[in-house]
């Protein structure tokens, strides 16, 4: 089965016991974990790290036997830059590429599915990425 890149919002929902999204995120993650490799990248790791004082605590929360870590491919970084340019041309105000651009580009160049609860920007800029998201 195709690997699944897990967006930081899904992991944060679970790790912070978000009252609105924890159940959906936990169920979705469990469902894909039964049949696919679960992957994160350094961008996702960085977004989650803000809730931890020590890297060891974060590593314990994201055990390697359950969640694989992959580097961000250079092709994904290039694509994230191109998507950022499209975003700016559409009137986007941010002055540097958004983390979601790197995450979406990683899923896109590797052919991974993406588990996210916030698919709006991903669908806009990465329409070919197969997403697992709430309806």
């Amino acid at each position: 089965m195709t690997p699944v890149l897990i967006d930081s919002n899904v992991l944060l929902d679970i790790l912070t016991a978000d009252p609105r999204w924890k159940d959906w995120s936990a169920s979705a993650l469990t469902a894909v974990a039964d049949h696919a490799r679960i992957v994160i990248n350094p961008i996702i790791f960085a977004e989650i790290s803000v809730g931890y004082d020590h890297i060891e605590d974060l590593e314990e929360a994201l055990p390697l036997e359950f969640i694989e870590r992959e580097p961000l491919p250079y092709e994904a970084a290039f694509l994230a830059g191109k998507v950022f340019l499209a975003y700016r041309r559409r009137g986007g105000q941010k002055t540097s590429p958004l983390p979601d651009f790197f995450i979406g580009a990683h899923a896109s160049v590797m052919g991974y599915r993406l588990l996210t609860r916030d698919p709006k920007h991903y669908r806009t800029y990465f329409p070919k990425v197969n997403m697992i998201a709430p309806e």
Side-chain angles (χ1 to χ4, degrees):
M1 176 156 276
T2 304
V4 178
L5 190 65
I6 308 300
D7 196 0
S8 53
N9 57 39
V10 171
L11 293 169
L12 286 168
D13 291 343
I14 296 165
L15 295 170
T16 64
D18 182 272
R20 179 172 178 202
W21 288 105
K22 179 185 180 247
D23 290 341
W24 183 88
S25 293
S27 294
L29 182 58
T30 300
V32 298
D34 287 341
H35 302 97
R37 274 191 324 119
I38 303 300
V39 179
I40 63 170
N41 64 31
I43 305 298
I44 297 163
F45 193 86
E47 287 188 311
I48 296 167
S49 73
V50 298
Y52 293 85
D53 292 330
H54 301 30
I55 193 170
E56 295 82 8
D57 297 332
L58 178 54
E59 289 174 338
E60 186 177 320
L62 303 174
L64 287 173
E65 58 271 5
F66 181 65
I67 298 175
E68 295 182 33
R69 299 177 196 168
E70 288 186 359
L72 185 72
Y74 278 86
E75 295 85 354
F78 183 83
L79 179 56
K82 296 304 174 195
V83 167
F84 173 68
L85 182 59
Y87 159 83
R88 291 287 295 181
R89 288 182 176 156
R90 289 181 175 185
Q93 299 299 307
K94 301 293 182 180
T95 58
S96 60
L98 303 170
D100 287 352
F101 293 164
F102 291 100
I103 295 166
H106 187 172
S108 181
V109 301
M110 296 302 291
Y112 291 171
R113 292 181 300 153
L114 177 63
L115 174 59
T116 182
R117 69 160 161 78
D118 189 17
K120 181 182 174 195
H121 281 103
Y122 294 118
R123 286 194 174 126
T124 298
Y125 293 103
F126 304 98
K128 294 182 181 178
V129 170
N130 182 347
M131 278 183 252
I132 303 161
E135 294 299 320

Short mmCIF file of all heavy atoms in Angstrom, two decimals, residues 17-45:
data_model
loop_
_atom_site.label_atom_id
_atom_site.label_comp_id
_atom_site.label_asym_id
_atom_site.label_seq_id
_atom_site.Cartn_x
_atom_site.Cartn_y
_atom_site.Cartn_z
N ALA A 17 -4.66 16.14 22.68
CA ALA A 17 -6.04 15.75 23.01
C ALA A 17 -7.03 16.85 22.65
O ALA A 17 -7.90 17.23 23.43
CB ALA A 17 -6.16 15.36 24.48
N ASP A 18 -6.90 17.35 21.41
CA ASP A 18 -7.79 18.39 20.94
C ASP A 18 -9.24 17.92 21.07
O ASP A 18 -9.61 16.86 20.56
CB ASP A 18 -7.48 18.69 19.46
CG ASP A 18 -8.35 19.79 18.92
OD1 ASP A 18 -9.46 19.49 18.44
OD2 ASP A 18 -7.92 20.97 18.98
N PRO A 19 -10.08 18.69 21.77
CA PRO A 19 -11.46 18.24 22.03
C PRO A 19 -12.30 18.08 20.77
O PRO A 19 -13.19 17.24 20.73
CB PRO A 19 -12.04 19.32 22.94
CG PRO A 19 -11.12 20.48 22.86
CD PRO A 19 -9.79 19.98 22.39
N ARG A 20 -12.02 18.85 19.74
CA ARG A 20 -12.83 18.75 18.52
C ARG A 20 -12.31 17.67 17.57
O ARG A 20 -13.10 16.97 16.93
CB ARG A 20 -12.84 20.10 17.81
CG ARG A 20 -13.65 20.06 16.53
CD ARG A 20 -13.83 21.40 15.92
NE ARG A 20 -14.57 21.26 14.68
CZ ARG A 20 -14.56 22.13 13.70
NH1 ARG A 20 -13.85 23.23 13.83
NH2 ARG A 20 -15.24 21.91 12.61
N TRP A 21 -11.00 17.54 17.42
CA TRP A 21 -10.43 16.71 16.36
C TRP A 21 -9.72 15.44 16.80
O TRP A 21 -9.37 14.61 15.96
CB TRP A 21 -9.46 17.55 15.53
CG TRP A 21 -10.17 18.55 14.69
CD1 TRP A 21 -10.25 19.90 14.89
CD2 TRP A 21 -10.92 18.28 13.50
NE1 TRP A 21 -11.00 20.47 13.91
CE2 TRP A 21 -11.42 19.51 13.03
CE3 TRP A 21 -11.21 17.11 12.79
CZ2 TRP A 21 -12.19 19.61 11.88
CZ3 TRP A 21 -11.98 17.21 11.64
CH2 TRP A 21 -12.46 18.44 11.20
N LYS A 22 -9.49 15.26 18.09
CA LYS A 22 -8.72 14.09 18.53
C LYS A 22 -9.31 12.78 18.05
O LYS A 22 -8.59 11.92 17.53
CB LYS A 22 -8.59 14.07 20.05
CG LYS A 22 -7.80 12.86 20.54
CD LYS A 22 -7.77 12.77 22.04
CE LYS A 22 -7.00 11.56 22.46
NZ LYS A 22 -7.80 10.55 23.09
N ASP A 23 -10.61 12.59 18.21
CA ASP A 23 -11.21 11.31 17.83
C ASP A 23 -11.08 11.04 16.34
O ASP A 23 -10.72 9.94 15.93
CB ASP A 23 -12.68 11.26 18.26
CG ASP A 23 -12.85 11.17 19.77
OD1 ASP A 23 -11.88 10.80 20.47
OD2 ASP A 23 -13.96 11.48 20.25
N TRP A 24 -11.37 12.06 15.52
CA TRP A 24 -11.25 11.85 14.08
C TRP A 24 -9.80 11.55 13.70
O TRP A 24 -9.53 10.59 12.97
CB TRP A 24 -11.72 13.08 13.29
CG TRP A 24 -11.65 12.81 11.82
CD1 TRP A 24 -12.61 12.25 11.04
CD2 TRP A 24 -10.50 13.00 10.96
NE1 TRP A 24 -12.15 12.10 9.75
CE2 TRP A 24 -10.86 12.55 9.68
CE3 TRP A 24 -9.22 13.52 11.16
CZ2 TRP A 24 -9.98 12.60 8.59
CZ3 TRP A 24 -8.34 13.57 10.08
CH2 TRP A 24 -8.73 13.11 8.81
N SER A 25 -8.87 12.33 14.20
CA SER A 25 -7.46 12.14 13.86
C SER A 25 -6.93 10.79 14.33
O SER A 25 -6.23 10.10 13.58
CB SER A 25 -6.62 13.28 14.45
OG SER A 25 -6.94 14.50 13.83
N ALA A 26 -7.28 10.39 15.54
CA ALA A 26 -6.82 9.09 16.05
C ALA A 26 -7.40 7.94 15.23
O ALA A 26 -6.68 6.99 14.89
CB ALA A 26 -7.20 8.95 17.52
N SER A 27 -8.66 8.02 14.90
CA SER A 27 -9.30 6.97 14.09
C SER A 27 -8.68 6.89 12.70
O SER A 27 -8.40 5.80 12.19
CB SER A 27 -10.80 7.22 13.96
OG SER A 27 -11.42 7.09 15.21
N ALA A 28 -8.47 8.04 12.08
CA ALA A 28 -7.90 8.07 10.74
C ALA A 28 -6.47 7.53 10.74
O ALA A 28 -6.09 6.74 9.87
CB ALA A 28 -7.95 9.48 10.18
N LEU A 29 -5.69 7.93 11.73
CA LEU A 29 -4.31 7.46 11.82
C LEU A 29 -4.26 5.95 12.06
O LEU A 29 -3.49 5.23 11.42
CB LEU A 29 -3.54 8.21 12.91
CG LEU A 29 -2.08 7.83 13.07
CD1 LEU A 29 -1.30 8.04 11.78
CD2 LEU A 29 -1.45 8.64 14.20
N THR A 30 -5.10 5.46 12.94
CA THR A 30 -5.15 4.02 13.21
C THR A 30 -5.54 3.26 11.95
O THR A 30 -4.95 2.21 11.65
CB THR A 30 -6.14 3.73 14.36
OG1 THR A 30 -5.68 4.42 15.53
CG2 THR A 30 -6.24 2.25 14.63
N ALA A 31 -6.51 3.76 11.22
CA ALA A 31 -6.97 3.09 10.01
C ALA A 31 -5.86 2.98 8.97
O ALA A 31 -5.69 1.91 8.35
CB ALA A 31 -8.18 3.81 9.43
N VAL A 32 -5.09 4.04 8.76
CA VAL A 32 -4.03 3.95 7.76
C VAL A 32 -2.82 3.17 8.27
O VAL A 32 -2.16 2.50 7.49
CB VAL A 32 -3.61 5.34 7.21
CG1 VAL A 32 -4.75 6.03 6.52
CG2 VAL A 32 -3.00 6.21 8.26
N ALA A 33 -2.57 3.23 9.56
CA ALA A 33 -1.41 2.53 10.12
C ALA A 33 -1.53 1.02 9.98
O ALA A 33 -0.53 0.32 9.92
CB ALA A 33 -1.22 2.92 11.58
N ASP A 34 -2.75 0.53 9.92
CA ASP A 34 -2.96 -0.91 9.76
C ASP A 34 -2.54 -1.42 8.39
O ASP A 34 -2.34 -2.62 8.22
CB ASP A 34 -4.43 -1.26 10.01
CG ASP A 34 -4.81 -1.19 11.48
OD1 ASP A 34 -3.90 -1.22 12.33
OD2 ASP A 34 -6.01 -1.10 11.77
N HIS A 35 -2.44 -0.50 7.40
CA HIS A 35 -2.20 -0.94 6.03
C HIS A 35 -1.09 -0.20 5.29
O HIS A 35 -0.84 -0.50 4.13
CB HIS A 35 -3.49 -0.79 5.22
CG HIS A 35 -4.63 -1.56 5.80
ND1 HIS A 35 -5.57 -0.98 6.61
CD2 HIS A 35 -4.95 -2.87 5.71
CE1 HIS A 35 -6.44 -1.90 6.99
NE2 HIS A 35 -6.09 -3.05 6.45
N ALA A 36 -0.46 0.77 5.91
CA ALA A 36 0.52 1.58 5.18
C ALA A 36 1.66 2.03 6.08
O ALA A 36 1.52 2.05 7.30
CB ALA A 36 -0.18 2.80 4.59
N ARG A 37 2.77 2.37 5.43
CA ARG A 37 3.87 3.00 6.15
C ARG A 37 3.45 4.41 6.50
O ARG A 37 2.91 5.14 5.68
CB ARG A 37 5.12 3.10 5.25
CG ARG A 37 5.98 1.92 5.23
CD ARG A 37 7.34 2.13 4.54
NE ARG A 37 7.37 3.01 3.38
CZ ARG A 37 8.08 4.14 3.30
NH1 ARG A 37 8.82 4.55 4.31
NH2 ARG A 37 8.07 4.87 2.21
N ILE A 38 3.72 4.82 7.73
CA ILE A 38 3.41 6.16 8.22
C ILE A 38 4.71 6.95 8.20
O ILE A 38 5.72 6.53 8.77
CB ILE A 38 2.84 6.10 9.66
CG1 ILE A 38 1.61 5.21 9.71
CG2 ILE A 38 2.57 7.49 10.19
CD1 ILE A 38 0.48 5.65 8.84
N VAL A 39 4.67 8.14 7.58
CA VAL A 39 5.88 8.92 7.36
C VAL A 39 5.68 10.37 7.81
O VAL A 39 4.60 10.93 7.64
CB VAL A 39 6.24 8.90 5.85
CG1 VAL A 39 7.48 9.73 5.57
CG2 VAL A 39 6.42 7.47 5.36
N ILE A 40 6.75 10.95 8.36
CA ILE A 40 6.81 12.39 8.59
C ILE A 40 8.13 12.89 8.02
O ILE A 40 9.01 12.10 7.69
CB ILE A 40 6.69 12.79 10.08
CG1 ILE A 40 7.86 12.24 10.90
CG2 ILE A 40 5.34 12.37 10.65
CD1 ILE A 40 7.94 12.80 12.32
N ASN A 41 8.25 14.21 7.90
CA ASN A 41 9.49 14.82 7.43
C ASN A 41 9.95 15.86 8.45
O ASN A 41 9.27 16.10 9.45
CB ASN A 41 9.31 15.40 6.02
CG ASN A 41 8.32 16.54 5.96
OD1 ASN A 41 8.15 17.30 6.91
ND2 ASN A 41 7.64 16.66 4.83
N PRO A 42 11.10 16.51 8.23
CA PRO A 42 11.60 17.49 9.21
C PRO A 42 10.66 18.68 9.43
O PRO A 42 10.65 19.25 10.52
CB PRO A 42 12.93 17.95 8.61
CG PRO A 42 13.37 16.81 7.76
CD PRO A 42 12.11 16.23 7.19
N ILE A 43 9.89 19.06 8.43
CA ILE A 43 8.96 20.18 8.58
C ILE A 43 7.87 19.80 9.59
O ILE A 43 7.54 20.57 10.50
CB ILE A 43 8.32 20.57 7.23
CG1 ILE A 43 9.38 20.87 6.16
CG2 ILE A 43 7.32 21.71 7.40
CD1 ILE A 43 10.30 22.02 6.46
N ILE A 44 7.33 18.62 9.44
CA ILE A 44 6.30 18.13 10.36
C ILE A 44 6.88 17.98 11.76
O ILE A 44 6.26 18.40 12.75
CB ILE A 44 5.72 16.79 9.83
CG1 ILE A 44 5.03 17.03 8.49
CG2 ILE A 44 4.77 16.16 10.85
CD1 ILE A 44 4.78 15.77 7.67
N PHE A 45 8.07 17.41 11.85
CA PHE A 45 8.75 17.26 13.14
C PHE A 45 8.92 18.62 13.81
O PHE A 45 8.66 18.78 15.00
CB PHE A 45 10.10 16.57 12.91
CG PHE A 45 10.77 16.08 14.15
CD1 PHE A 45 10.48 14.84 14.68
CD2 PHE A 45 11.73 16.85 14.79
CE1 PHE A 45 11.12 14.37 15.83
CE2 PHE A 45 12.37 16.40 15.93
CZ PHE A 45 12.07 15.16 16.45
#
